Amino acid sequence: PPPELWASFRGRRMGGRELPLPPGYRGVLLKRGEPGEPPLCEPGDPQAGWVMVTGSFAAITDWGADSAPLPGRGLARALQWGPLAQALPAPVTEDSDEEAEP
């Protein structure tokens, strides 16, 4: 399991673990632009706006109060769903090693 991290937030002890994002995923930091700023918007458009990527990250820290989250639970478990969700719609070919279930 990844090593435990320790910190304090408003006087409360927090334990954490850094979790890598699944292959093919990355986290991004976004900055919201205001209507009327570039890129050009139609004047008076209430939905006008845009976002700009200002940074990215490949790992996220899962924090718990008073103890580090257990490996394989919570956020660590949720991060397993991305690759699974991509695999589900993948076509199955006749060359596949898997047998179809009745």
Side-chain angles (χ1 to χ4, degrees):
E4 293 180 1
L5 305 169
W6 294 98
S8 175
F9 181 71
R10 295 186 180 176
R12 186 164 185 173
R13 185 176 182 200
M14 306 288 288
R17 293 186 194 280
E18 190 171 281
L19 303 171
L21 296 178
Y25 285 80
R26 71 179 176 139
V28 294
L29 302 174
L30 303 175
K31 176 185 175 189
R32 180 174 181 243
E34 296 299 321
E37 292 181 355
L40 297 176
C41 304
E42 293 294 323
D45 183 358
Q47 297 286 326
W50 52 276
V51 293
M52 179 174 64
V53 175
T54 60
S56 66
F57 53 93
I60 190 167
T61 303
D62 188 12
W63 292 101
D66 299 324
S67 65
L70 296 173
R73 304 197 104 181
L75 182 58
R77 185 175 243 173
L79 290 175
Q80 296 173 355
W81 281 97
L84 177 62
Q86 287 181 335
L88 286 176
V92 178
T93 64
E94 291 182 22
D95 299 335
S96 175
D97 292 340
E98 307 261 336
E99 291 186 24
E101 292 188 29

